[in-house]
């Protein structure tokens, strides 16, 4: 189906309109979204994406509809995995809780612009050189292999090359000044960590695009579907970040599921490349008669793998333990950091979640507790946070930490 320029203009205008609405009505006034707010708006954005897909199914037919849903689900899953890296970056930079929304929305806007460029570049390459399918397929297989490597918070660093270069070339300060990108120190204009964290998020988004764009081109070569599935998977990501707060660490098997999906799509791309082959050193430059994987089969495989990996993560003792360890580290550091948030309700929520994570580790059986690393350090963080809470709220009785 050919998409008219008018449809393109209306689609882009609608997406830009949603981003502007998100900024002026939710992000511009600095605040920490409550769970209810995050849940409602996450549902709204997912609902918009599903309604768009339903319209695609009715107007474009089953083929376009299934391609859109397969692309949307894949991109959404990759986006959730990327949220873990965003969490590490913002924790590393000590971004105040109330200002994290602005950082996320900047990341979404930058990602939309960058991925749109990659989409049109990828489409031009695929239409001109069919052998690019081989490159995309091999790239996804390599990415899948890298995702199988064990990942920890220490394996990601917010201090990437661009940030280090920025600190070296420009004057920077270690203190935030609200949500300002620049501030004045000793009469000189300097960059704040808010600008640096946005640079880190933007640089990370570029790397993510190198994985996600080949993945969706493995499911459809329709540029309109690629663009809309990618855009709708990014819209609502800000709300999803706060909705999944505390659960991101628990999805310990998600990377394995995504690795399987990317490997599957990589194999699908290579099969398609063989079917369209014109490389002289492969089968004499003639197409290879191989079976191709339909979009319907791809959709079933993607949904099945995601369902299995998410359920395995949520019901895993290791997953709950890893979540508790990560929460203690982050929540204790956040609670002890007086500049993290000025919202008393948010501070209390962080503290109560910290107590719940501590109690989970204490209640573990002997075998399960072997999974806990640096337990004395974790318990010391809990005691320090409890002492700080007791000093601020002497009327509250705190349960013993051990």
């Amino acid at each position: 189906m050919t998409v008219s320029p008018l449809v393109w203009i209306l689609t882009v205008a609608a997406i830009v309109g949603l981003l502007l609405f998100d900024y002026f009505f939710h992000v511009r006034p600095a605040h920490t979204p409550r769970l209810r707010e995050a849940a409602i708006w996450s549902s709204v954005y997912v609902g918009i994406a599903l309604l768009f897909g339903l319209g695609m199914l009715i107007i474009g037919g089953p083929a376009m509809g299934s391609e859109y849903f397969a692309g949307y689900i894949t991109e959404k899953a990759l986006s959730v995995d990327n949220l873990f890296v965003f969490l590490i970056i913002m924790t590393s930079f000590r971004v105040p809780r109330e200002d994290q929304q602005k950082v996320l929305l900047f990341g979404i806007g930058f990602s939309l612009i960058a991925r749109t460029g990659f989409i049109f570049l990828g489409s031009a390459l695929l239409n001109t050189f069919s052998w690019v399918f081989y490159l995309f397929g091999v790239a996804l297989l390599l990415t899948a292999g890298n995702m199988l490597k064990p990942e920890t918070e220490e394996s990601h660093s917010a201090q990437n090359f661009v940030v280090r270069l920025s600190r070296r070339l420009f004057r920077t300060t270690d203190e935030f000044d609200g949500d300002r990108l620049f501030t004045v120190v000793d009469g000189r204009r300097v960059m704040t960590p808010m600008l640096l964290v946005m640079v880190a998020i933007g640089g990370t988004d570029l790397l993510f695009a190198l994985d996600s764009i080949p993945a969706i081109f493995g499911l459809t070569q329709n540029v309109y579907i690629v663009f809309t599935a990618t855009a709708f998977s990014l819209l609502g990501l800000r709300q999803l970040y706060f909705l999944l707060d505390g659960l991101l660490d628990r999805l310990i098997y998600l990377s394995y599921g995504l690795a399987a999906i990317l490997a599957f799509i990589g194999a699908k791309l290579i099969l398609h490349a063989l079917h369209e082959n014109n490389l002289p050193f492969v089968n004499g430059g003639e197409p290879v008669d191989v079976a191709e994987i339909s979009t319907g089969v791809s959709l079933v495989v993607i949904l099945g793998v995601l369902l299995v990996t998410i359920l395995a993560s949520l019901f895993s003792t290791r997953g709950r333990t890893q979540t508790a360890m990560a929460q203690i580290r982050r929540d204790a550091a956040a609670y002890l950091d007086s500049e993290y948030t000025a919202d008393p309700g948010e501070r209390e929520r962080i503290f109560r979640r910290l107590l719940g994570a501590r109690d989970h580790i204490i209640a573990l059986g002997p075998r399960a507790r072997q999974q806990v690393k640096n337990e004395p350090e974790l318990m010391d963080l809990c005691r320090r946070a409890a002492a700080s809470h007791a000093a601020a709220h002497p009327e509250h009785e705190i349960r013993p930490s051990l």
Side-chain angles (χ1 to χ4, degrees), residues 307-325:
L307 182 63
V308 170
T309 53
I310 290 173
L311 290 177
S313 297
L314 294 178
F315 289 100
S316 165
T317 300
R318 180 187 165 201
R320 291 194 295 270
T321 301
Q322 182 166 312
T323 302
M325 290 189 294

Side-chain angles (χ1 to χ4, degrees), residues 201-217:
I201 292 287
T204 305
D205 272 330
L206 287 177
L207 295 178
F208 291 159
L210 296 177
D211 297 336
S212 64
I213 298 306
I216 194 169
F217 269 118

Side-chain angles (χ1 to χ4, degrees), residues 68-280:
Y68 168 81
F69 281 114
Y72 171 75
I73 293 169
T74 300
E75 292 297 304
K76 197 70 171 179
L78 288 169
S79 297
V80 171
D81 189 55
N82 297 342
L83 286 180
F84 177 67
V85 183
F86 289 170
L87 175 63
I88 293 171
I89 290 175
M90 287 195 284
T91 300
S92 173
F93 279 97
R94 297 172 54 244
V95 179
R97 185 72 168 173
E98 290 84 356
D99 295 321
Q100 290 182 1
Q101 293 193 97
K102 290 183 174 66
V103 176
L104 288 168
L105 192 61
F106 167 82
I108 292 169
F110 181 86
S111 185
L112 268 173
I113 295 171
R115 295 185 191 206
T116 299
F118 279 121
I119 287 169
F120 285 103
L121 176 61
S123 176
L125 288 173
L126 291 173
N127 288 330
T128 307
F129 309 105
S130 61
W131 51 263
V132 174
F133 283 107
Y134 285 114
L135 294 182
F136 280 9
V138 172
L140 289 181
L141 291 175
L142 292 175
T143 301
N146 288 331
M147 294 188 78
L148 294 176
K149 297 177 181 179
E151 277 190 345
T152 63
E153 293 193 19
E154 290 73 20
S155 65
H156 297 287
S157 174
Q159 305 297 327
N160 59 30
F161 172 75
V162 179
V163 172
R164 293 196 301 271
L165 185 63
S166 299
R167 288 188 183 276
R168 181 170 298 180
L169 296 178
F170 304 101
R171 296 183 182 276
T172 63
T173 177
D174 293 329
E175 302 299 326
F176 284 88
D177 186 8
D179 61 355
R180 292 182 176 88
L181 303 181
F182 295 90
T183 189
V184 177
V185 177
D186 297 330
R188 294 183 175 181
R189 188 176 176 84
V190 297
M191 293 192 303
T192 68
M194 180 63 72
L195 179 57
L196 292 178
V197 73
M198 287 184 175
V199 170
I201 292 287
T204 305
D205 272 330
L206 287 177
L207 295 178
F208 291 159
L210 296 177
D211 297 336
S212 64
I213 298 306
I216 194 169
F217 269 118
L219 299 168
T220 177
Q221 285 81 59
N222 186 309
V223 178
Y224 184 74
I225 295 177
V226 172
F227 173 76
T228 52
T230 301
F232 283 118
S233 71
L234 292 172
L235 292 175
L237 199 59
R238 175 187 65 80
Q239 295 86 346
L240 192 63
Y241 174 87
F242 291 96
L243 181 62
L244 295 181
D245 186 24
L247 284 178
L248 289 174
D249 298 288
R250 190 154 172 185
L251 300 175
I252 59 172
Y253 299 124
L254 180 61
S255 60
Y256 296 104
L258 290 175
I261 290 171
L262 292 181
F264 172 80
I265 298 175
K268 184 176 186 293
L269 274 170
I270 291 175
L271 288 175
H272 181 75
L274 289 170
H275 193 266
E276 302 290 330
N277 177 66
N278 59 10
L279 293 178

